[in-house]
Amino acid sequence: MKRTLGRCSFTGYNRPVPTTSEPGRSVSSRLLQVLFAFGPGHTRLTFAGLARRTGLPDATVRRLAIELMAAGALDRAVDGVLTVGTRLWQLGTLAPLTEPLRTVAMPSMEDLYIALQQHVQLAVLAGSEAVILERLSKPDAVGLVSQVGGGLPLHSSAVGKVLLAHTDGTLFDAVVERGLDPFTPQTVTDPAQLRRELGECRRTGTAIVREELTEGADSVATRIMDAEGRVVAALSVVVRSGSVPLAAVVPSVVTSGPGISRRLGWTPDVGVRGKLGGRSCSDGYWDSVRLLWLLGFCLVVDVLGRGRWQVAQVPVQQFSRSWMVSRIW
């Protein structure tokens, strides 16, 4: 089991502070500009590298970096290379939701990983993209475009669609206005079609993406709610196209969502924030969950009767450890 680290950005959330050194800028904005120069592929920088990435004068960069090192926000190795400091990492763990959400989600994520042996990832909405908080991966699983801490586009990733579906129309309009980039020939680039898919996602709580972001990769995602019924995260499984029938993946993913939500204080009577044609989002969602639980039950019965589960090509002894089966039995 491998956990990946890093950051990859598609949209505005991770855009660096404008690289400029115009007079009148505050010291704090320059300090942030130096910190934001670090990213995927740029985790170790020299003073000269910081100056190039920020556009600030060498003397200014050196002075600011020394101040950040004194505060523990940056560390300096024996070879003079700078990295993000431990103190800054500790501060980042205090961000609302992120660490508690990781903690409560991890058992379900591990169960999904054990059962399916595929990428399992947790994401939250940050600005105009879905940021990956955690991922469990097999070394030989299908390659992905982003890492933990990285961003995924909202219109072409399963977690992104789940999160976008449960926001107001303002963000949808902003995403459309920015442009629905065609990452593959299968990417949905028609705003009307995307709107219809998001409406279905709100009704069922699930999004299925087939090679829309990466060719050869399919994904199934479901929503996670907090105690007030707000959708605060999305959980997904990413599989190599054709390796596992998505119909066999959906039940496990969908039933994991309420399990994580309960640990955040959510209960079914709270429902899900939002109305669809006068009907609560949660009504259609629970219709789907009940159906999928029944489907999962039938699959398990088939396993017990035949000693194997050929549909998902997962050994019964592994599948029996999944969250869904433990809840059913």
Side-chain angles (χ1 to χ4, degrees), residues 72-152:
L74 291 180
D75 289 336
R76 189 178 186 184
V78 293
D79 59 358
V81 175
L82 302 172
T83 61
V84 172
T86 303
R87 182 68 187 93
L88 192 61
W89 172 81
Q90 291 173 330
L91 185 63
T93 63
L94 301 179
L97 262 184
T98 56
E99 193 57 36
L101 183 57
R102 270 198 206 94
T103 302
V104 300
M106 189 54 65
S108 294
M109 293 181 66
E110 290 174 343
D111 286 343
L112 281 172
Y113 174 82
I114 291 170
L116 300 174
Q117 294 292 295
Q118 303 287 343
H119 295 294
V120 180
Q121 58 188 20
L122 180 70
V124 296
L125 181 67
S128 56
E129 65 184 0
V131 173
I132 302 171
L133 289 185
E134 187 60 272
R135 176 187 290 150
L136 304 180
S137 300
K138 280 189 66 176
D140 59 347
V142 61
L144 299 179
V145 297
S146 186
Q147 300 174 317
V148 171
L152 294 173

Side-chain angles (χ1 to χ4, degrees), residues 7 14 16 18 50 52 60-62 82 103 122 124 127 139-140 142 144 176 192 203 249 258 265 278 309 324 328:
R7 181 177 291 272
N14 291 319
L50 275 176
R52 285 194 299 271
T60 301
V61 166
R62 180 175 290 273
L82 302 172
T103 302
L122 180 70
V124 296
D140 59 347
V142 61
L144 299 179
V176 171
R203 187 183 71 81
V249 176
W309 183 25
M324 181 181 73
I328 291 173

Side-chain angles (χ1 to χ4, degrees), residues 252-276:
S252 295
V253 176
V254 170
T255 52
S256 293
I260 298 173
S261 301
R262 284 179 180 275
R263 299 185 193 112
L264 293 175
W266 178 84
T267 56
D269 58 290
V270 172
V272 183
R273 280 195 175 183
K275 295 282 185 178
L276 297 174

Side-chain angles (χ1 to χ4, degrees), residues 216 218 239-245 313:
D218 298 339
V239 304
R240 192 181 305 277
S241 300
S243 64
V244 177
Q313 299 177 347

Side-chain angles (χ1 to χ4, degrees), residues 177-241:
E177 183 178 355
R178 185 175 293 110
L180 304 179
D181 295 333
F183 295 101
T184 74
Q186 284 70 44
T187 304
V188 175
T189 57
D190 176 29
Q193 181 181 347
L194 179 60
R195 188 184 293 275
R196 288 193 297 271
E197 290 188 6
L198 296 182
E200 181 67 11
C201 178
R202 285 193 300 272
R203 187 183 71 81
T204 64
T206 307
I208 298 177
V209 165
R210 292 180 172 86
E211 299 188 272
E212 290 189 39
L213 181 58
T214 305
E215 291 186 359
D218 298 339
S219 182
V220 176
T222 193
R223 61 194 174 196
I224 296 172
M225 292 76 67
D226 66 7
E228 298 179 1
R230 296 174 300 187
V231 175
V232 295
L235 176 72
S236 75
V237 169
V238 184
V239 304
R240 192 181 305 277
S241 300

